[in-house]
Coordinates of all heavy atoms in Angstrom, one line a residue:
H1 N -0.7 1.8 27.2 CA -0.5 3.2 27.4 C 0.7 3.7 26.6 O 1.7 3.0 26.6 CB -0.3 3.4 28.9 CG 0.7 4.4 29.4 ND1 2.0 4.1 29.6 CD2 0.6 5.7 29.7 CE1 2.7 5.1 30.0 NE2 1.8 6.1 30.1
S2 N 0.5 4.7 25.8 CA 1.5 5.2 24.9 C 2.3 6.4 25.5 O 1.7 7.2 26.2 CB 0.9 5.7 23.6 OG 0.4 4.6 22.9
V3 N 3.6 6.5 25.2 CA 4.4 7.6 25.6 C 4.1 8.7 24.6 O 3.9 8.4 23.4 CB 5.9 7.2 25.6 CG1 6.7 8.4 25.9 CG2 6.1 6.1 26.6
A4 N 4.2 10.0 25.0 CA 3.9 11.1 24.1 C 4.8 10.9 22.8 O 6.0 10.7 22.9 CB 4.2 12.4 24.8
G5 N 4.2 11.0 21.7 CA 5.0 11.0 20.4 C 5.1 9.6 19.8 O 5.6 9.4 18.8
E6 N 4.6 8.6 20.5 CA 4.7 7.2 20.0 C 3.4 6.8 19.1 O 2.3 7.3 19.4 CB 4.8 6.2 21.1 CG 6.1 6.1 21.7 CD 6.2 4.9 22.7 OE1 5.3 4.1 22.8 OE2 7.3 4.7 23.3
T7 N 3.7 6.0 18.1 CA 2.6 5.5 17.3 C 2.8 4.0 17.2 O 4.0 3.6 16.9 CB 2.6 6.2 15.9 OG1 2.4 7.6 16.1 CG2 1.5 5.6 15.0
D8 N 1.8 3.2 17.3 CA 1.9 1.8 17.2 C 1.0 1.4 16.0 O -0.2 1.7 15.9 CB 1.4 1.1 18.4 CG 2.2 1.3 19.6 OD1 3.5 1.2 19.5 OD2 1.7 1.6 20.7
I9 N 1.7 0.7 15.0 CA 1.0 0.3 13.8 C 1.3 -1.2 13.6 O 2.4 -1.6 13.7 CB 1.5 1.1 12.6 CG1 1.2 2.6 12.8 CG2 0.9 0.6 11.3 CD1 1.8 3.5 11.7
L10 N 0.3 -1.9 13.2 CA 0.4 -3.3 12.8 C 0.4 -3.3 11.3 O -0.6 -2.8 10.7 CB -0.8 -4.2 13.4 CG -0.7 -5.6 13.1 CD1 0.5 -6.3 13.7 CD2 -2.0 -6.3 13.7
C11 N 1.4 -4.0 10.7 CA 1.5 -3.9 9.2 C 1.5 -5.4 8.7 O 2.2 -6.2 9.2 CB 2.7 -3.2 8.8 SG 3.0 -3.2 7.1
S12 N 0.8 -5.6 7.6 CA 0.8 -6.9 6.9 C 1.1 -6.6 5.4 O 0.5 -5.7 4.8 CB -0.5 -7.6 7.1 OG -0.6 -8.7 6.2
V13 N 2.1 -7.4 4.9 CA 2.4 -7.2 3.5 C 2.2 -8.6 2.8 O 2.7 -9.6 3.2 CB 3.9 -6.8 3.3 CG1 4.3 -6.7 1.8 CG2 4.1 -5.4 4.0
K14 N 1.5 -8.5 1.7 CA 1.2 -9.8 0.9 C 1.6 -9.5 -0.5 O 1.3 -8.4 -1.1 CB -0.3 -10.1 1.0 CG -0.7 -11.3 0.2 CD -2.2 -11.6 0.5 CE -2.9 -11.8 -0.7 NZ -4.4 -12.1 -0.5
V15 N 2.3 -10.4 -1.1 CA 2.7 -10.3 -2.5 C 2.2 -11.5 -3.3 O 2.3 -12.7 -2.8 CB 4.2 -10.3 -2.7 CG1 4.7 -10.1 -4.1 CG2 4.8 -9.1 -1.9
E16 N 1.5 -11.2 -4.4 CA 0.9 -12.4 -5.2 C 1.1 -12.1 -6.7 O 1.2 -10.9 -7.1 CB -0.5 -12.6 -4.8 CG -1.5 -11.4 -5.0 CD -2.9 -11.7 -4.5 OE1 -3.5 -12.7 -4.8 OE2 -3.3 -10.8 -3.8
L17 N 1.0 -13.1 -7.4 CA 1.1 -13.1 -8.9 C -0.3 -12.6 -9.4 O -1.3 -13.1 -8.9 CB 1.4 -14.4 -9.4 CG 1.9 -14.5 -10.9 CD1 3.1 -13.8 -11.1 CD2 2.1 -16.0 -11.2
A18 N -0.3 -11.6 -10.3 CA -1.6 -11.1 -10.8 C -1.5 -10.8 -12.3 O -0.4 -10.7 -12.8 CB -2.0 -9.9 -10.0
H19 N -2.6 -10.5 -12.9 CA -2.6 -10.1 -14.3 C -2.6 -8.5 -14.2 O -3.3 -7.9 -13.4 CB -3.9 -10.6 -15.0 CG -3.9 -12.1 -15.2 ND1 -3.0 -12.7 -16.0 CD2 -4.6 -13.0 -14.5 CE1 -3.3 -14.0 -16.0 NE2 -4.2 -14.2 -15.0
P20 N -1.9 -7.9 -15.2 CA -1.9 -6.4 -15.2 C -3.2 -5.8 -15.7 O -4.0 -6.5 -16.3 CB -0.8 -6.1 -16.1 CG -0.7 -7.3 -17.1 CD -1.1 -8.5 -16.2
A21 N -3.4 -4.6 -15.4 CA -4.6 -3.9 -15.9 C -4.4 -3.8 -17.4 O -3.3 -3.7 -17.9 CB -4.7 -2.5 -15.2
L22 N -5.5 -3.8 -18.1 CA -5.5 -3.7 -19.6 C -4.8 -2.4 -20.1 O -4.1 -2.4 -21.1 CB -6.9 -3.9 -20.2 CG -7.6 -5.2 -20.0 CD1 -9.0 -5.2 -20.5 CD2 -6.8 -6.3 -20.7
D23 N -5.0 -1.3 -19.4 CA -4.4 -0.1 -19.8 C -3.0 0.1 -19.3 O -2.4 1.1 -19.6 CB -5.3 1.1 -19.4 CG -5.5 1.2 -17.9 OD1 -5.2 0.2 -17.2 OD2 -5.9 2.3 -17.4
S24 N -2.5 -0.8 -18.5 CA -1.1 -0.7 -18.0 C -0.5 -2.1 -18.0 O -0.2 -2.7 -16.9 CB -1.1 -0.2 -16.6 OG -1.8 1.1 -16.5
P25 N -0.2 -2.6 -19.2 CA 0.2 -4.0 -19.3 C 1.6 -4.3 -18.7 O 2.0 -5.5 -18.6 CB 0.1 -4.3 -20.8 CG 0.3 -3.0 -21.4 CD -0.4 -2.0 -20.5
T26 N 2.4 -3.3 -18.4 CA 3.8 -3.5 -17.9 C 3.9 -2.9 -16.5 O 5.0 -2.7 -16.0 CB 4.8 -2.9 -18.8 OG1 4.6 -1.4 -18.9 CG2 4.8 -3.4 -20.2
M27 N 2.8 -2.7 -15.8 CA 2.9 -2.1 -14.5 C 2.3 -3.1 -13.5 O 1.2 -3.6 -13.7 CB 2.0 -0.8 -14.4 CG 2.4 0.2 -15.5 SD 4.1 0.9 -15.2 CE 3.7 2.2 -14.2
G28 N 3.0 -3.2 -12.4 CA 2.5 -4.0 -11.3 C 1.4 -3.3 -10.5 O 1.0 -2.2 -10.9
R29 N 1.0 -3.9 -9.5 CA -0.1 -3.3 -8.7 C 0.3 -3.1 -7.2 O 0.9 -4.0 -6.6 CB -1.4 -4.1 -8.8 CG -1.9 -4.1 -10.3 CD -2.8 -5.2 -10.6 NE -3.9 -5.4 -9.7 CZ -4.7 -6.4 -9.8 NH1 -4.6 -7.4 -10.7 NH2 -5.7 -6.6 -8.9
L30 N -0.1 -2.0 -6.7 CA 0.1 -1.6 -5.3 C -1.2 -1.2 -4.6 O -1.8 -0.3 -5.1 CB 1.2 -0.5 -5.2 CG 1.4 0.0 -3.7 CD1 2.1 -1.1 -2.9 CD2 2.3 1.3 -3.8
D31 N -1.6 -2.0 -3.6 CA -2.8 -1.6 -2.9 C -2.4 -1.4 -1.4 O -1.8 -2.2 -0.8 CB -3.8 -2.8 -2.9 CG -4.3 -3.1 -4.3 OD1 -4.5 -2.1 -5.1 OD2 -4.6 -4.2 -4.6
I32 N -2.8 -0.2 -0.9 CA -2.5 0.1 0.5 C -3.9 0.4 1.1 O -4.7 1.2 0.6 CB -1.6 1.3 0.6 CG1 -0.2 1.1 0.0 CG2 -1.5 1.7 2.1 CD1 0.7 2.2 0.1
H33 N -4.1 -0.3 2.2 CA -5.3 -0.2 3.0 C -5.0 0.3 4.4 O -4.1 -0.4 5.0 CB -6.1 -1.5 3.0 CG -7.4 -1.4 3.8 ND1 -7.5 -1.9 5.1 CD2 -8.6 -0.8 3.5 CE1 -8.7 -1.7 5.6 NE2 -9.4 -1.0 4.6
V34 N -5.6 1.4 4.8 CA -5.3 1.9 6.2 C -6.6 1.8 7.0 O -7.7 2.2 6.5 CB -4.9 3.3 6.1 CG1 -4.7 3.9 7.5 CG2 -3.6 3.5 5.3
E35 N -6.5 1.2 8.2 CA -7.6 1.2 9.1 C -7.2 1.9 10.4 O -6.3 1.5 11.1 CB -7.9 -0.3 9.4 CG -9.2 -0.5 10.2 CD -10.5 -0.2 9.5 OE1 -10.5 -0.4 8.2 OE2 -11.4 0.2 10.1
D36 N -7.9 3.0 10.6 CA -7.7 3.8 11.9 C -9.1 4.1 12.3 O -9.8 5.0 11.8 CB -6.9 5.0 11.6 CG -6.6 5.8 12.8 OD1 -7.1 5.5 13.9 OD2 -5.8 6.8 12.7
L37 N -9.6 3.5 13.4 CA -10.9 3.7 13.9 C -11.2 5.0 14.5 O -12.3 5.4 14.7 CB -11.3 2.6 14.9 CG -11.1 1.2 14.3 CD1 -11.4 0.1 15.4 CD2 -12.0 0.9 13.1
R38 N -10.1 5.8 14.7 CA -10.3 7.1 15.4 C -10.6 8.2 14.3 O -11.0 9.3 14.7 CB -9.0 7.5 16.1 CG -8.5 6.6 17.1 CD -7.1 6.8 17.6 NE -6.2 6.8 16.4 CZ -5.4 7.8 16.1 NH1 -5.4 8.9 16.8 NH2 -4.6 7.8 15.1
T39 N -10.4 7.9 13.1 CA -10.7 8.9 12.0 C -11.3 8.3 10.8 O -11.2 7.2 10.5 CB -9.3 9.6 11.6 OG1 -9.6 10.6 10.6 CG2 -8.3 8.6 11.1
A40 N -12.0 9.2 10.1 CA -12.7 8.7 8.9 C -11.8 9.0 7.6 O -12.3 8.9 6.5 CB -14.0 9.4 8.7
R41 N -10.6 9.4 7.8 CA -9.7 9.8 6.8 C -8.8 8.6 6.2 O -7.8 8.8 5.7 CB -8.8 10.9 7.2 CG -9.6 12.2 7.5 CD -8.8 13.2 8.2 NE -7.5 13.5 7.4 CZ -6.5 14.2 7.9 NH1 -6.6 14.7 9.1 NH2 -5.4 14.4 7.1
N42 N -9.3 7.4 6.4 CA -8.5 6.2 6.0 C -8.1 6.2 4.6 O -7.0 5.9 4.2 CB -9.3 4.9 6.3 CG -9.5 4.7 7.8 OD1 -8.7 5.2 8.6 ND2 -10.6 4.1 8.2
E43 N -9.0 6.5 3.7 CA -8.7 6.6 2.2 C -7.7 7.7 1.9 O -6.8 7.5 1.1 CB -10.0 6.8 1.4 CG -9.8 6.6 -0.1 CD -9.4 5.2 -0.5 OE1 -9.8 4.2 0.1 OE2 -8.6 5.1 -1.4
E44 N -7.8 8.8 2.5 CA -6.9 9.9 2.3 C -5.5 9.5 2.7 O -4.5 9.8 2.1 CB -7.3 11.1 3.1 CG -6.5 12.4 2.9 CD -7.0 13.5 3.8 OE1 -8.2 13.6 4.1 OE2 -6.2 14.4 4.1
V45 N -5.4 8.8 3.9 CA -4.1 8.4 4.4 C -3.5 7.3 3.4 O -2.3 7.3 3.1 CB -4.2 7.9 5.8 CG1 -2.8 7.2 6.3 CG2 -4.6 9.0 6.8
A46 N -4.3 6.4 3.0 CA -3.9 5.3 2.0 C -3.3 6.0 0.7 O -2.3 5.5 0.2 CB -5.0 4.4 1.8
T47 N -4.0 7.0 0.2 CA -3.6 7.6 -1.0 C -2.3 8.3 -0.8 O -1.4 8.3 -1.6 CB -4.7 8.6 -1.5 OG1 -5.9 7.9 -1.7 CG2 -4.2 9.3 -2.8
L48 N -2.1 9.0 0.3 CA -0.9 9.7 0.7 C 0.3 8.7 0.7 O 1.3 9.0 0.2 CB -1.0 10.5 2.0 CG 0.2 11.2 2.5 CD1 0.6 12.3 1.6 CD2 0.0 11.6 3.9
L49 N 0.1 7.6 1.4 CA 1.1 6.6 1.5 C 1.5 6.0 0.1 O 2.7 5.8 -0.2 CB 0.7 5.5 2.5 CG 0.7 5.9 3.9 CD1 0.1 4.8 4.8 CD2 2.1 6.2 4.4
S50 N 0.5 5.7 -0.7 CA 0.8 5.2 -2.1 C 1.6 6.2 -2.9 O 2.6 5.8 -3.5 CB -0.6 5.0 -2.8 OG -1.3 3.9 -2.3
N51 N 1.2 7.5 -2.8 CA 2.0 8.5 -3.5 C 3.4 8.6 -3.0 O 4.4 8.8 -3.7 CB 1.3 9.8 -3.4 CG 0.0 9.9 -4.2 OD1 -0.2 9.1 -5.1 ND2 -0.9 10.8 -3.8
L52 N 3.6 8.5 -1.7 CA 4.9 8.5 -1.1 C 5.8 7.4 -1.5 O 6.9 7.6 -1.9 CB 4.8 8.5 0.5 CG 6.1 8.6 1.2 CD1 6.8 9.9 1.0 CD2 5.8 8.4 2.7
V53 N 5.2 6.2 -1.5 CA 6.0 5.0 -1.9 C 6.4 5.1 -3.4 O 7.5 4.9 -3.8 CB 5.2 3.7 -1.7 CG1 5.8 2.5 -2.4 CG2 5.0 3.4 -0.2
L54 N 5.5 5.5 -4.3 CA 5.7 5.6 -5.7 C 6.6 6.8 -6.0 O 7.3 6.8 -7.1 CB 4.4 5.7 -6.5 CG 3.5 4.5 -6.4 CD1 2.2 4.7 -7.1 CD2 4.3 3.3 -7.0
S55 N 6.7 7.8 -5.2 CA 7.6 9.0 -5.5 C 9.0 8.7 -5.3 O 9.9 9.4 -5.8 CB 7.2 10.1 -4.6 OG 7.6 9.9 -3.3
R56 N 9.4 7.6 -4.7 CA 10.8 7.2 -4.5 C 11.5 6.9 -5.8 O 12.7 6.7 -5.9 CB 10.9 6.0 -3.7 CG 10.5 6.2 -2.2 CD 11.0 5.0 -1.4 NE 12.0 4.4 -2.2 CZ 12.9 3.5 -1.8 NH1 12.8 3.1 -0.5 NH2 13.8 3.0 -2.5
G57 N 10.8 6.7 -6.9 CA 11.4 6.4 -8.2 C 11.3 4.9 -8.5 O 11.7 4.5 -9.6
D58 N 11.0 4.1 -7.5 CA 10.8 2.7 -7.8 C 9.4 2.4 -8.3 O 8.5 2.0 -7.5 CB 11.1 1.9 -6.5 CG 12.4 2.1 -5.9 OD1 13.4 2.3 -6.8 OD2 12.6 2.1 -4.7
G59 N 9.1 2.7 -9.5 CA 7.8 2.7 -10.1 C 7.2 1.3 -10.2 O 7.9 0.3 -9.9
L60 N 6.0 1.2 -10.5 CA 5.3 0.0 -10.6 C 5.8 -0.9 -11.8 O 5.5 -2.1 -11.8 CB 3.8 0.2 -10.8 CG 3.1 0.9 -9.6 CD1 1.6 1.2 -9.9 CD2 3.2 0.0 -8.4
D61 N 6.6 -0.3 -12.7 CA 7.1 -1.1 -13.8 C 8.1 -2.1 -13.2 O 8.4 -3.1 -13.9 CB 7.8 -0.2 -14.8 CG 8.8 0.7 -14.3 OD1 8.7 1.2 -13.1 OD2 9.8 1.0 -15.0
Q62 N 8.7 -1.8 -12.1 CA 9.6 -2.8 -11.5 C 8.9 -4.1 -11.0 O 9.6 -5.1 -10.7 CB 10.3 -2.1 -10.2 CG 11.1 -0.9 -10.6 CD 12.3 -1.3 -11.5 OE1 13.0 -2.2 -11.2 NE2 12.6 -0.5 -12.5
L63 N 7.6 -4.0 -10.9 CA 6.8 -5.2 -10.5 C 6.3 -6.1 -11.6 O 5.6 -7.0 -11.5 CB 5.6 -4.7 -9.6 CG 6.0 -4.0 -8.4 CD1 4.7 -3.5 -7.7 CD2 6.8 -4.8 -7.4
C64 N 6.8 -5.7 -12.9 CA 6.3 -6.5 -14.0 C 7.2 -7.7 -14.2 O 8.4 -7.7 -14.1 CB 6.5 -5.6 -15.3 SG 5.9 -6.5 -16.8
I65 N 6.5 -8.9 -14.4 CA 7.2 -10.1 -14.6 C 7.3 -10.5 -16.1 O 8.4 -10.6 -16.7 CB 6.5 -11.3 -13.8 CG1 6.6 -10.9 -12.3 CG2 7.2 -12.6 -14.1 CD1 5.7 -11.8 -11.5
V66 N 6.1 -10.6 -16.7 CA 6.0 -10.8 -18.1 C 5.0 -9.8 -18.6 O 3.8 -9.9 -18.3 CB 5.5 -12.3 -18.5 CG1 5.4 -12.5 -19.9 CG2 6.5 -13.3 -17.9
P67 N 5.4 -8.8 -19.4 CA 4.5 -7.8 -19.9 C 3.2 -8.4 -20.6 O 3.3 -9.4 -21.3 CB 5.3 -7.0 -21.0 CG 6.7 -7.2 -20.6 CD 6.8 -8.6 -20.0
H68 N 2.1 -7.8 -20.2 CA 0.8 -8.2 -20.7 C 0.2 -9.5 -20.1 O -0.9 -9.8 -20.3 CB 0.8 -8.4 -22.3 CG 1.1 -7.2 -23.0 ND1 0.2 -6.2 -23.3 CD2 2.3 -6.7 -23.5 CE1 0.7 -5.2 -24.0 NE2 2.0 -5.5 -24.1
F69 N 1.0 -10.2 -19.3 CA 0.6 -11.4 -18.7 C 0.7 -11.5 -17.2 O -0.3 -11.8 -16.5 CB 1.4 -12.6 -19.3 CG 1.1 -12.8 -20.7 CD1 2.0 -12.4 -21.7 CD2 -0.1 -13.5 -21.1 CE1 1.8 -12.6 -23.0 CE2 -0.3 -13.7 -22.5 CZ 0.6 -13.2 -23.4
Y70 N 1.8 -11.2 -16.6 CA 2.0 -11.4 -15.2 C 2.7 -10.2 -14.5 O 3.8 -9.7 -15.1 CB 2.8 -12.7 -14.8 CG 2.0 -13.9 -15.3 CD1 2.5 -14.6 -16.3 CD2 0.9 -14.3 -14.6 CE1 1.8 -15.8 -16.7 CE2 0.2 -15.4 -15.0 CZ 0.7 -16.2 -16.1 OH 0.0 -17.3 -16.5
V71 N 2.2 -9.8 -13.4 CA 2.9 -8.7 -12.6 C 2.8 -9.1 -11.1 O 2.0 -10.0 -10.8 CB 2.2 -7.3 -12.8 CG1 2.4 -6.9 -14.2 CG2 0.8 -7.3 -12.4
W72 N 3.6 -8.5 -10.3 CA 3.4 -8.7 -8.8 C 2.3 -7.7 -8.3 O 2.3 -6.5 -8.7 CB 4.7 -8.4 -8.1 CG 5.7 -9.5 -8.3 CD1 6.9 -9.3 -8.9 CD2 5.7 -10.9 -7.9 NE1 7.6 -10.5 -8.9 CE2 6.8 -11.5 -8.3 CE3 4.7 -11.6 -7.2 CZ2 7.1 -12.8 -8.1 CZ3 4.9 -12.9 -7.0 CH2 6.1 -13.5 -7.4
K73 N 1.5 -8.2 -7.5 CA 0.5 -7.3 -6.8 C 1.0 -7.3 -5.3 O 1.0 -8.3 -4.7 CB -0.9 -7.9 -6.9 CG -1.9 -7.1 -6.1 CD -3.3 -7.7 -6.2 CE -4.2 -7.0 -5.2 NZ -5.5 -7.6 -5.2
V74 N 1.3 -6.1 -4.8 CA 1.7 -5.9 -3.5 C 0.6 -5.3 -2.7 O 0.1 -4.2 -3.0 CB 3.0 -5.0 -3.4 CG1 3.4 -4.9 -1.9 CG2 4.1 -5.6 -4.2
S75 N 0.1 -6.0 -1.6 CA -1.0 -5.5 -0.8 C -0.4 -5.2 0.6 O 0.2 -6.0 1.2 CB -2.1 -6.5 -0.7 OG -2.6 -6.8 -1.9
I76 N -0.6 -3.9 1.0 CA -0.1 -3.5 2.3 C -1.3 -3.1 3.2 O -2.1 -2.2 2.8 CB 0.9 -2.3 2.2 CG1 2.1 -2.7 1.3 CG2 1.4 -1.9 3.6 CD1 3.0 -1.6 1.0
D77 N -1.5 -3.7 4.3 CA -2.6 -3.4 5.2 C -2.0 -2.8 6.5 O -1.1 -3.5 7.1 CB -3.4 -4.7 5.6 CG -4.1 -5.2 4.4 OD1 -4.8 -4.4 3.7 OD2 -4.1 -6.4 4.1
L78 N -2.4 -1.7 6.9 CA -1.9 -1.0 8.1 C -3.1 -0.8 9.1 O -4.2 -0.3 8.7 CB -1.4 0.4 7.7 CG -0.2 0.4 6.8 CD1 0.1 1.8 6.3 CD2 1.0 -0.2 7.4
L79 N -2.9 -1.2 10.3 CA -3.9 -1.0 11.4 C -3.2 -0.1 12.4 O -2.2 -0.4 13.0 CB -4.3 -2.3 12.0 CG -5.2 -2.2 13.2 CD1 -6.5 -1.5 12.9 CD2 -5.5 -3.5 13.9
I80 N -3.7 1.2 12.5 CA -3.2 2.1 13.4 C -3.8 1.8 14.8 O -5.0 2.0 15.0 CB -3.4 3.6 13.0 CG1 -2.8 3.8 11.6 CG2 -2.9 4.5 14.0 CD1 -3.1 5.1 11.0
I81 N -2.9 1.3 15.7 CA -3.4 0.9 17.0 C -3.5 2.1 18.0 O -4.5 2.2 18.7 CB -2.5 -0.2 17.6 CG1 -2.5 -1.4 16.6 CG2 -2.9 -0.6 19.0 CD1 -1.5 -2.5 16.9
S82 N -2.5 2.9 18.0 CA -2.5 4.1 18.8 C -1.6 5.1 18.2 O -0.6 4.8 17.5 CB -2.0 3.8 20.2 OG -0.6 3.4 20.2
S83 N -1.9 6.4 18.4 CA -1.1 7.5 17.9 C -1.2 8.6 18.9 O -2.3 9.2 19.0 CB -1.6 7.9 16.5 OG -0.9 9.0 16.1
S84 N -0.1 8.9 19.6 CA -0.2 10.0 20.5 C 0.7 11.2 20.0 O 0.8 12.2 20.6 CB 0.3 9.6 21.9 OG 1.6 9.1 21.8
G85 N 1.3 11.0 18.8 CA 2.2 12.0 18.3 C 1.6 12.6 17.0 O 1.3 11.9 16.1
G86 N 1.5 13.9 16.9 CA 1.0 14.5 15.6 C -0.5 14.3 15.5 O -1.1 13.7 16.3
S87 N -1.0 14.8 14.5 CA -2.5 14.7 14.2 C -2.7 13.9 12.9 O -1.9 13.9 12.1 CB -3.2 16.0 14.1 OG -2.6 16.8 13.1
T88 N -3.8 13.2 12.8 CA -4.2 12.5 11.6 C -5.5 13.0 11.1 O -6.2 13.7 11.7 CB -4.3 11.0 11.9 OG1 -5.3 10.8 13.0 CG2 -3.0 10.3 12.2

């Protein structure tokens, strides 16, 4: 049972070595996946969160290890368990 305004989210973060995209050889990769069974807007929420993270100024270029060869790929999985505050 949730108190009004509370949101419970389970978050998993995985970081792995990857090859950069051919068109972005000095950019790391960020994948955000949102699972919320109450709404079909999962992709919209994931895009919003990606934009929010990247807008901080810590761009994907900070995830480059060796240009053209290796970058960090950061995968963030969010499972929204309950949300009684605001609308989604």
Side-chain angles (χ1 to χ4, degrees):
H1 141 272
S2 292
V3 176
E6 281 191 2
T7 300
D8 294 314
I9 299 174
L10 181 62
C11 178
S12 168
V13 178
K14 178 174 132 181
V15 179
E16 61 186 308
L17 198 59
H19 296 288
L22 293 176
D23 61 343
S24 305
T26 61
M27 304 294 269
R29 295 163 48 189
L30 174 67
D31 295 328
I32 297 179
H33 178 259
V34 177
E35 187 71 30
D36 184 352
L37 302 178
R38 301 166 308 122
T39 179
R41 297 172 48 192
N42 295 332
E43 188 62 35
E44 181 181 336
V45 173
T47 300
L48 176 68
L49 288 172
S50 292
N51 292 338
L52 180 64
V53 169
L54 295 175
S55 71
R56 288 193 26 163
D58 301 328
L60 295 176
D61 57 324
Q62 298 293 315
L63 299 176
C64 182
I65 300 169
V66 179
H68 299 277
F69 293 102
Y70 297 108
V71 297
W72 289 115
K73 175 184 174 186
V74 179
S75 300
I76 301 172
D77 294 312
L78 300 169
L79 174 61
I80 300 173
I81 298 169
S82 67
S83 175
S84 60
S87 61
T88 53

